[in-house]
Amino acid sequence: MSSSSSSSIIAEKCRKELKEMMKDPRNKKCADCGNYPATWTSCNIGIFLCFRCSGIHRGLGVQISFVKSATLDDWNHKLLSRFKEQGGNHMINLRYEAKLIADEKINDSSTQIEVVKFIRNKYEKKIWFKNIKTSSSLKKEKKTRNRTKSKTTSRKSSNATSYEQYTNGGGSSRNRGKSYGSRQSGITQSPAIKPMPELNKRDSFLSNNELDLFYKESHDDDKAIKQQQELQKKRDSKDVMDLIQEYPSFDDNNNNNNKDKAKSNILSKYHNNMNNMNNMNNMN
């Protein structure tokens, strides 16, 4: 039997089941406007629709309402089972029209604008929606609870067996010869932890004495103080050569005239200082 023939057989069986659902008087008429016949469906919502309302449902988008014909399109068992779980027109209207006033409900004589507005408020905006637990939803909750319970119990049992294997040394053949604790006292102990080895100092190309000397020379505060005192003495000195040595050196590329000007400026400053000092002494 080919795949096409098997799929056609499945589709025919699904159509028969849909026809059986359409025999229910609440599913014979449209879930929105109440018009006959309701041969179209919204698969994800789970309702039967008339031709006019099915076109408006298509305009909502597949993410809100997925429209499919109950008599013309091919169905599969998975899609049909999800459609049946919703409960049909009556159960869906209990939720989506829970807060609806009777005067706001549309009928087969309503205008196109009124129908579009009603369907958008009902399924897109969910103005009158109220979550009511049905028998199918309660069954789903029970199934999910049982699944979660079975998962948690299996995890607990697996964790317990692994802990027993670790403490008793059982389990695989690799761990049977190893003892992880003192069995005589009955108290399980963790394996002995080796102490961390002491980290040796980083090797250097200099000896310890050379490193000490290098540190003292680079961090000798007395030497820095002495150098500062010597510079101050040169600045306070009356010798002209000390002043010239203190002045920054010139590059060879500069002209000799610039050097002479710099030296003459220093000499003039020196003579001015000397004259000022002599005048002060004479006044005293």
Side-chain angles (χ1 to χ4, degrees):
M1 186 181 291
S2 62
S3 59
S4 60
S5 60
S6 62
S7 61
S8 62
I9 292 167
I10 291 168
E12 191 63 32
K13 287 181 180 179
C14 292
R15 287 194 198 96
K16 287 180 181 179
E17 291 185 18
L18 287 168
K19 285 178 181 178
E20 290 294 326
M21 290 180 70
M22 290 165 68
K23 289 179 181 179
D24 188 345
R26 293 173 294 187
N27 293 333
K28 283 183 179 180
K29 59 182 181 180
C30 179
D32 293 333
C33 68
N35 194 11
Y36 292 94
T39 58
W40 294 83
T41 63
S42 176
C43 301
N44 55 339
I45 297 173
I47 52 174
F48 289 91
L49 301 167
C50 65
F51 180 73
R52 181 174 67 164
C53 291
S54 67
I56 298 167
H57 272 258
R58 279 198 181 93
L60 298 176
V62 180
Q63 71 278 5
I64 297 173
S65 181
F66 179 62
V67 179
K68 206 173 179 68
S69 175
T71 57
L72 301 174
D73 294 330
D74 292 337
W75 289 61
N76 54 34
H77 291 300
K78 188 175 182 180
L79 188 63
L80 183 63
S81 63
R82 287 182 180 177
F83 181 77
K84 281 183 173 181
E85 285 175 357
Q86 304 299 326
N89 291 356
H90 178 66
M91 299 305 299
I92 296 300
N93 284 337
L94 285 176
R95 283 184 283 174
Y96 281 87
E97 296 179 1
K99 301 176 184 179
L100 180 68
I101 302 169
D103 295 337
E104 294 177 348
K105 179 73 174 177
I106 59 172
N107 50 39
D108 55 354
S109 62
S110 300
T111 61
Q112 185 74 9
I113 296 169
E114 291 174 347
V115 175
V116 171
K117 186 178 179 181
F118 177 82
I119 290 172
R120 286 194 176 275
N121 289 333
K122 183 178 178 181
Y123 299 105
E124 191 174 15
K125 297 180 181 179
K126 294 183 179 180
I127 294 173
W128 309 294
F129 181 81
K130 185 179 179 181
N131 193 6
I132 299 169
K133 291 183 179 181
T134 59
S135 59
S136 60
S137 62
L138 291 171
K139 286 179 182 178
K140 283 183 182 179
E141 287 181 0
K142 284 182 180 179
K143 285 181 181 179
T144 52
R145 285 175 187 172
N146 293 328
R147 286 175 184 174
T148 52
K149 282 181 181 179
S150 61
K151 285 180 181 179
T152 52
T153 51
S154 63
R155 284 175 184 173
K156 287 180 180 178
S157 61
S158 63
N159 290 331
T161 53
S162 61
Y163 179 74
E164 288 175 359
Q165 289 176 1
Y166 177 77
T167 53
N168 297 326
S172 61
S173 60
R174 293 180 183 178
N175 297 329
R176 282 173 187 171
K178 297 179 182 179
S179 61
Y180 292 99
S182 59
R183 296 183 184 178
Q184 294 177 358
S185 61
I187 301 169
T188 58
Q189 296 178 357
S190 60
I193 299 169
K194 294 182 180 179
M196 291 290 291
E198 293 183 0
L199 298 173
N200 296 324
K201 294 181 180 179
R202 188 178 67 180
D203 295 332
S204 175
F205 60 89
L206 297 173
S207 64
N208 294 329
N209 294 327
E210 288 173 341
L211 287 170
D212 292 336
L213 289 171
F214 178 75
Y215 180 80
K216 285 178 181 179
E217 288 178 358
S218 60
H219 295 78
D220 194 356
D221 295 332
D222 295 334
K223 189 176 181 181
I225 294 166
K226 288 178 182 178
Q227 289 177 355
Q228 191 69 24
Q229 289 175 354
E230 288 177 359
L231 287 172
Q232 191 65 33
K233 283 180 182 179
K234 286 182 180 180
R235 287 168 185 167
D236 297 336
S237 177
K238 297 178 182 180
D239 191 359
V240 180
M241 296 306 296
D242 290 336
L243 290 170
I244 292 168
Q245 287 177 2
E246 182 68 18
Y247 196 81
S249 61
F250 293 90
D251 295 331
D252 294 334
N253 297 327
N254 294 333
N255 296 325
N256 293 322
N257 295 326
N258 294 332
K259 294 180 182 180
D260 295 335
K261 285 180 182 179
K263 288 180 180 180
S264 64
N265 290 329
I266 292 168
L267 289 170
S268 64
K269 287 180 182 179
Y270 174 73
H271 289 303
N272 291 328
N273 291 329
M274 290 297 292
N275 290 328
N276 292 326
M277 289 176 71
N278 290 326
N279 293 327
M280 292 291 291
N281 291 324
N282 293 325
M283 287 174 69
N284 294 326

